[in-house]
Amino acid sequence: MSTTSRFLRTARAVQRHSHASRAELKEFQNAELRRLVRHAYESVPYYRRLFDRHRLHPRHIRGVMDLDLIPITTKQGLRQRPVADVIAREIDPATLISVRTSGSTGEPFVVRRTQLEQGYNLLFRERTYQSFGLRLHERIAAVGVPRALHPNDTKFMTRALRAMGIHPKISIDGLSDPAQMAERLRAYQPHLLVGLPGMLSRLADHLISTGGREIRPRVLVVGGEVLTPLMRRRLTEAFGVAPLQTYASHEFPLMGWECRETGQLHTCDDGFIVEALHNGRPAAPGQTGEVVVTNLYAYAMPLIRYRLADVITRGTEHCACGQPFGTIAAIQGRMVDYFPLPDGRVVHPNRLVETFLPSVDIRQYQLLQDRLDHIVMSVVPALTPSAELQERISRSVSPLLGPGVTFQVRMVDDIPLDPTGKFRHSRSLVASSYDNPGMPSADV
């Protein structure tokens, strides 16, 4: 079957599942899990050894009810393996799209997928936008951190949609001057505005302070960071519409989206199995749990029972709106602070990390801004700590911060969790929407 045919078949299934029964969706999920587990065991050395070590065989996994038989895989565990161990044998790693994440836990990680798997992510996103009421011809503006396109990512599905006039889209650097962002959005007038809540909050503060009311999207979508109550109020005031949440990561591009009727998040059960584990057991509705996810469409680099290092509150078994999807009641994970600088710029921590990440080998990091002109980076190196490694990191980051900021690199053996049990890979004591909920964004 051709790539296009497989994509179209999956597209029809994704649309059909919104109207399926819960039992039908569970049956589909179980069948896809069995197929994935069999493939991983037969084709991926890491999973073959994992299963054999625990005396497991794919025939033992009948469906989601047997998922807890499979040991949890961690980011650190996969990072320590050579590429050939975690990629299906029949696939040439050089042909895959590689996405290097900065990591919400401060642990850099490379996710690899095929062009077709990248296309599947587009299907789930398009279904989400439809559920939010977006029509095919309506315009989208995405506010985020600019990323260089991987050479293997042809974006053929996205280009095909745009060529047909489906969802015209522009991308805006969310770290640029808020006045410039506002000017572009006024000219474009998107029907749907999507971005990280921290970035959109900077823009919202600018609009509120200047009295701007010209940017009025029909749909406002946020994701990638925790949306605080203050952020929600400011965004609603600035754009005239309440934000709708999505739940995603680089490893799992769309795990959930907000139900417009109930306010809970639907879990994308036909693409992923999202577990919330409380003390190692499935959390009950209303109970918080650690997120463990299985990607049902990741065959090039399978991610089965992968610990995401997020915390969520489990919702009801299926949504009261009538759709067959499970639910997430609330997301507690991934708090990201932005760093204001003496010259008035605001820098996303990922921008700092991206300057050195491809060229150094580290296990974990944490950024702390304790003064406007001082940022400390704690680093757990993969190998023996060295002054040369410290110098390389500092030399990469310092030009981005400018001459008025001191950037200090500390080599440490371990980075402890917060008292809450969470890990913050970036924290600003100067301006934080999380630690100081009454404090406005840094550029106001």
Side-chain angles (χ1 to χ4, degrees):
M1 182 181 293
S2 70
T3 297
T4 301
S5 297
R6 290 165 64 190
F7 181 81
L8 293 175
R9 184 186 67 176
T10 304
R12 289 190 290 269
V14 168
Q15 290 300 321
R16 185 172 65 249
H17 290 152
S18 295
H19 310 287
S21 68
R22 182 65 177 168
E24 289 171 332
L25 189 57
K26 281 289 189 183
E27 183 179 349
F28 173 87
Q29 196 178 52
N30 288 335
E32 291 301 310
L33 176 62
R34 290 193 296 269
R35 189 160 69 101
L36 174 68
V37 167
R38 184 169 60 251
H39 162 79
Y41 183 77
E42 294 173 352
S43 302
V44 183
Y46 167 79
Y47 284 104
R48 181 65 173 241
R49 288 196 296 270
L50 180 71
F51 273 52
D52 287 350
R53 188 165 65 249
H54 290 84
R55 299 189 178 186
L56 273 175
H57 190 273
R59 66 174 176 272
H60 298 142
I61 310 302
R62 298 163 296 170
V64 177
M65 75 288 289
D66 298 320
L67 201 57
D68 61 353
L69 296 177
I70 303 175
I72 290 174
T73 287
T74 66
K75 181 182 302 184
Q76 183 65 21
L78 292 182
R79 284 184 70 251
Q80 293 172 346
R81 307 286 175 176
V83 174
D85 258 15
V86 298
I87 299 295
R89 287 194 184 96
E90 65 272 16
I91 294 179
D92 179 2
T95 66
L96 299 176
I97 299 168
S98 297
V99 179
R100 183 181 289 272
T101 76
S102 56
S104 62
T105 62
E107 297 179 58
F109 185 55
V110 177
V111 183
R112 296 174 172 88
R113 56 177 67 101
T114 65
Q115 186 68 56
L116 181 61
E117 291 167 352
Q118 191 86 324
Y120 290 155
N121 297 333
L122 175 65
L123 292 178
F124 294 120
R125 186 169 68 244
E126 290 295 321
R127 180 176 66 184
T128 296
Y129 289 167
Q130 288 180 30
S131 77
F132 289 160
L134 190 70
R135 305 180 186 95
L136 292 180
H137 67 280
E138 292 186 311
R139 297 181 298 277
I140 298 174
V143 176
V145 179
R147 287 180 175 271
L149 189 66
H150 191 273
N152 291 339
D153 190 358
T154 63
K155 287 192 173 291
F156 73 99
M157 298 298 180
T158 301
R159 292 204 318 271
L161 292 178
R162 303 296 175 258
M164 293 185 289
I166 297 176
H167 298 328
K169 180 180 177 181
I170 64 168
S171 297
I172 295 175
D173 183 352
L175 299 174
S176 60
D177 181 70
Q180 295 176 357
M181 287 193 283
E183 188 59 34
R184 286 197 67 189
L185 289 170
R186 287 190 191 99
Y188 189 66
Q189 288 300 320
H191 299 93
L192 182 146
L193 177 60
V194 57
L196 298 171
M199 290 183 172
L200 291 177
S201 292
R202 290 183 60 231
L203 176 59
D205 289 341
H206 168 78
L207 294 174
I208 292 170
S209 65
T210 59
R213 293 291 184 271
E214 303 89 354
I215 303 170
R216 284 293 188 266
R218 285 203 311 105
V219 184
L220 179 62
V221 179
V222 298
E225 299 169 356
V226 173
L227 176 68
T228 67
L230 176 64
M231 288 177 175
R232 182 181 288 276
R233 289 197 301 271
R234 298 288 279 181
L235 293 175
T236 303
E237 180 182 355
F239 298 107
V241 60
L244 296 166
Q245 282 188 282
T246 58
Y247 183 40
S249 70
H250 286 292
E251 300 95 327
F252 309 101
L254 184 66
M255 293 173 284
W257 68 97
E258 188 171 337
C259 175
R260 302 190 76 166
E261 293 185 28
T262 67
Q264 295 193 107
L265 276 74
H266 293 157
T267 49
C268 188
D269 297 328
D270 49 354
F272 310 95
I273 300 173
V274 181
E275 302 176 74
L277 302 182
H278 184 83
N279 295 329
R281 303 294 302 166
Q287 196 172 42
T288 60
E290 182 183 20
V291 179
V292 173
V293 190
T294 299
N295 188 337
L296 295 174
Y297 285 96
Y299 276 69
M301 179 180 172
L303 295 173
I304 302 173
R305 298 207 82 206
Y306 174 90
R307 177 179 285 131
L308 194 56
D310 279 354
V311 176
I312 61 173
T313 301
R314 185 184 164 194
T316 54
E317 176 64 21
H318 57 88
C319 193
C321 73
Q323 292 201 39
F325 305 105
T327 65
I328 296 170
I331 303 168
Q332 281 80 32
R334 262 182 291 171
M335 296 183 287
V336 179
D337 283 344
Y338 295 69
F339 297 157
L341 301 179
D343 61 7
R345 291 181 297 133
V346 177
V347 174
H348 192 289
N350 288 358
R351 180 72 64 84
L352 304 183
V353 175
E354 287 167 356
T355 64
F356 64 83
L357 203 53
S359 61
V360 302
D361 192 9
I362 62 176
R363 286 202 298 112
Q364 197 174 36
Y365 69 89
Q366 188 174 61
L367 289 156
L368 173 67
Q369 182 184 35
D370 53 1
R371 299 195 312 268
L372 192 65
D373 62 352
H374 188 249
I375 296 174
V376 179
M377 182 174 188
S378 299
V379 174
V380 181
L383 303 173
T384 304
S386 68
E388 193 270 339
L389 177 60
Q390 287 179 279
E391 174 61 24
R392 285 173 64 189
I393 294 174
S394 182
R395 192 167 57 243
S396 299
V397 174
S398 294
L400 183 61
L401 297 175
V405 180
T406 301
F407 183 73
Q408 179 184 354
V409 181
R410 297 189 307 122
M411 295 294 167
V412 297
D413 295 326
D414 181 58
I415 301 176
L417 298 175
D418 282 355
T420 61
K422 301 176 186 177
F423 184 92
R424 296 269 294 276
H425 81 76
S426 68
R427 185 173 184 179
S428 174
L429 303 183
V430 178
S432 172
S433 297
Y434 303 102
D435 295 327
N436 304 291
M439 182 181 293
S441 294
D443 61 327
V444 175

